[in-house]
Amino acid sequence: MQELSIMEFVKWFIALLVIMMLISLAMFFIELSNVNSFKQQVNYQIERQGGLTNTAISNINQTSNDYYNGTFTVISDRLNTKVAYGEPVDYVVKGTFDIKILPIPDVKLEFNGTGVSQVR
């Protein structure tokens, strides 16, 4: 009779662990979905500032800190330079995602992007 109660306890423990993992995974994917909106903000800054200038970088960093808790940073070969009209600017968005609930190390991912200067 005691084996049944222990087995029931183990079943509940495994079920709660699986539920916690699913919730943690869902929260990770929700944070991951913010990448596209952040890349849109980076493209907007490239278009309006004529590249990844000092002003654009400061606006991007402020956006990352204000709306995304400092999750994203932008790396590019053309940092702090103004480019000609219609010239593409390649960049990499580096994101560090904290895994909630479970004690798992942070996930670091990189996303490529390209913006085009619209300043004449």
Side-chain angles (χ1 to χ4, degrees):
M1 194 60 140
Q2 196 159 8
E3 293 96 15
L4 292 176
S5 64
I6 291 173
M7 197 60 173
E8 188 69 24
F9 177 72
V10 170
K11 285 181 191 176
W12 275 99
F13 180 74
I14 291 173
L16 290 175
L17 186 64
V18 167
I19 289 171
M20 285 178 27
M21 287 181 0
L22 289 175
I23 291 172
S24 179
L25 190 64
M27 292 172 74
F28 170 72
F29 283 123
I30 289 170
E31 285 185 14
L32 192 63
S33 69
N34 289 333
V35 171
N36 288 332
S37 63
F38 183 75
K39 283 174 58 176
Q40 185 177 5
Q41 291 297 320
V42 173
N43 287 341
Y44 175 74
Q45 289 299 321
I46 290 172
E47 290 172 2
R48 300 291 290 167
Q49 303 296 330
L52 288 171
T53 61
N54 291 332
T55 306
I57 292 296
S58 68
N59 290 342
I60 290 168
N61 289 337
Q62 183 177 359
T63 301
S64 177
N65 291 333
D66 291 346
Y67 299 109
Y68 303 102
N69 298 323
T71 301
F72 302 111
T73 56
V74 176
I75 306 296
S76 177
D77 294 337
R78 296 185 172 194
L79 285 178
N80 303 321
T81 57
K82 190 166 185 164
V83 296
Y85 175 80
E87 193 171 336
V89 177
D90 295 326
Y91 60 89
V92 175
V93 174
K94 291 187 176 187
T96 304
F97 301 97
D98 181 32
I99 303 298
K100 310 285 193 251
I101 299 175
L102 299 175
I104 298 175
D106 293 345
V107 176
K108 297 179 181 180
L109 298 173
E110 294 182 356
F111 306 93
N112 296 324
T114 302
V116 178
S117 172
Q118 299 295 317
V119 174
R120 292 188 187 251

